[in-house]
Amino acid sequence: MAACRPSVLLVTQLLSLPLGSPAILRASVQPTSYGPRRSLAASRSASVHCSAIQTAAEKELDDDRFLVRNVRNDVRVLRCGSSQMLEQGILELQELPHICVAGESNAGKSSLINHLLKKHNVARASSVAGKTRSVDMLEVNERLVITDLPGLPSRDHQVERMWDSSWRPLTLQYLRDCRAIRAMLYVHDIRWKISYMIRDFLRDVEETGVPVLLVLSKDDKLLVEAENMGTTQHELRTKMSNAVFRALSYQGVHIHYSCDNSLPFSRNARRQILRYIEQLSALSSREESAQFLEDVAAKKRSKASPGKNS
């Protein structure tokens, strides 16, 4: 008789026994195996590995619900350095919601964008003033546009001539002509004073109807400065924030920000801005966005001083 597998031989032998035989009852509970038995540790390891794969897949799938992901972001950049290129870029991306980012050179504008997208240099961050020389539209996951605008001249007046002659007109053209803009994130280093150029620019932005959400950057730098001044980080933050608000006559929504991802505060600030981006992008116009931000600001003021509104 040719050699056969143990399980086949067992079935052949059992068929010759009467129904209900003890041998049949014993055989019915014997495990059948076609390979070496795996240890308990190996089984647990395989289970953990499968769970890890499933968790990673679920996380990536969960990320797809959001405009900006945590795991990976597909970014296509349109650099519009002239009026004609800008018109073409606006036309090409007019069906997607736009969030634009502005601020003085070296205030952390491009670093903020890279931090939000978890990219190293998709927005051109540099310590050299005027690194962003065009209106750079970043199409994110084919669902959102984050636009990196040219930086305003900083207090040392670098690139001021380029700003006045080229970059400012290009920026205002984008703000006026792109009706898909929902809001502007204006990034300001919390340690810096407000210059007349900032006030003039934000006045121009207000005339276009684009609402502004103020991002006070470099918050992590306050710790060392507070220690040198013999005060707390919270007290210094409050003092500098109020100085910015007074200089701009600003009562809108603001966020303190840092790009140091090792700090829980920085990670929370990133999540907070991304929530605002999600909410603003879901609205249909800059007018709706302005009303939304106004309502949020009013609610925050009410919570801060409940006695005045009672």
Side-chain angles (χ1 to χ4, degrees):
M1 180 178 177
C4 62
R5 300 175 71 173
S7 59
V8 176
L9 182 60
L10 178 62
V11 171
T12 304
Q13 294 171 341
L14 291 175
L15 289 176
S16 62
L17 296 176
L19 189 63
S21 168
I24 291 182
L25 296 178
R26 288 195 303 270
S28 64
V29 296
Q30 297 301 313
T32 303
S33 176
Y34 296 107
R37 297 188 61 180
R38 302 171 67 181
S39 67
L40 182 60
S43 299
R44 287 177 176 171
S45 176
S47 176
V48 170
H49 177 66
C50 291
S51 298
I53 293 176
Q54 184 180 13
T55 301
E58 288 175 348
K59 184 176 181 180
E60 186 168 333
L61 183 62
D62 186 60
D63 264 2
D64 285 338
R65 295 188 297 114
F66 302 105
L67 299 177
V68 179
R69 305 168 184 146
N70 283 320
V71 177
R72 54 176 177 79
N73 287 292
D74 300 320
V75 180
R76 183 172 68 102
V77 183
L78 276 68
R79 303 196 191 279
C80 306
S82 68
S83 178
Q84 293 75 15
M85 293 174 66
L86 182 57
E87 288 179 9
Q88 182 179 347
I90 292 173
L91 185 63
E92 183 175 342
L93 298 175
Q94 64 182 345
E95 299 301 323
L96 298 177
H98 289 229
I99 301 292
C100 59
V101 185
E104 282 184 286
S105 296
N106 302 328
K109 172 174 59 70
S110 297
S111 297
L112 168 72
I113 295 174
N114 290 327
H115 189 242
L116 290 176
L117 299 179
K118 290 199 170 182
K119 298 284 187 181
H120 291 298
N121 204 31
V122 67
R124 295 180 286 193
S126 173
S127 60
V128 178
K131 189 68 175 177
T132 305
R133 297 171 176 265
S134 54
V135 173
D136 295 348
M137 299 186 200
L138 282 57
E139 183 187 24
V140 182
N141 302 321
E142 299 183 342
R143 299 174 65 192
L144 167 73
V145 177
I146 296 180
T147 302
D148 187 9
L149 298 173
L152 281 73
S154 53
R155 282 153 311 290
D156 55 9
H157 301 288
Q158 295 184 58
V159 303
E160 187 170 343
R161 183 177 300 176
M162 287 295 296
W163 168 258
D164 289 334
S165 64
S166 179
W167 302 342
R168 181 176 178 274
L170 199 64
T171 297
L172 292 179
Q173 177 188 345
Y174 169 72
L175 295 177
R176 294 190 187 107
D177 295 351
C178 183
R179 301 308 300 176
I181 298 174
R182 297 296 183 263
M184 170 184 287
L185 304 180
Y186 186 82
V187 183
H188 181 75
D189 188 325
I190 191 172
R191 303 167 298 174
W192 294 353
K193 292 182 179 180
I194 297 295
S195 69
Y196 73 92
M197 295 193 74
I198 295 175
R199 283 193 289 267
D200 289 346
F201 174 69
L202 290 179
R203 193 176 300 117
D204 290 337
V205 174
E206 184 179 8
E207 290 178 359
T208 67
V210 174
V212 173
L213 192 159
L214 181 62
V215 180
L216 297 173
S217 61
K218 311 289 182 76
D219 190 274
D220 55 309
K221 307 295 184 184
L222 294 183
L223 181 59
V224 174
E225 293 196 17
E227 291 175 349
N228 293 337
M229 297 172 63
T231 185
T232 66
Q233 185 177 11
H234 174 73
E235 290 173 343
L236 184 59
R237 179 189 295 120
T238 301
K239 178 182 177 180
M240 290 185 168
S241 300
N242 288 336
V244 172
F245 301 152
R246 285 194 301 270
L248 292 175
S249 300
Y250 185 80
Q251 293 185 322
V253 179
H254 72 280
I255 296 175
H256 294 276
Y257 205 88
S258 162
C259 293
D260 185 352
N261 214 42
S262 65
L263 301 174
F265 163 81
S266 299
R267 298 192 294 272
N268 182 64
R270 176 180 180 270
R271 288 192 293 269
Q272 191 175 6
I273 287 187
L274 290 179
R275 280 196 296 270
Y276 278 123
I277 289 177
E278 291 278 346
Q279 292 168 317
L280 291 165
S281 297
L283 302 175
S284 60
S285 67
R286 60 182 65 179
E287 290 78 17
E288 285 190 13
S289 297
Q291 186 61 56
F292 167 77
L293 290 174
E294 185 178 329
D295 292 344
V296 172
K299 187 175 181 179
K300 287 181 179 291
R301 290 194 299 270
S302 177
K303 287 184 177 180
S305 53
K308 294 182 181 181
N309 297 283
S310 59

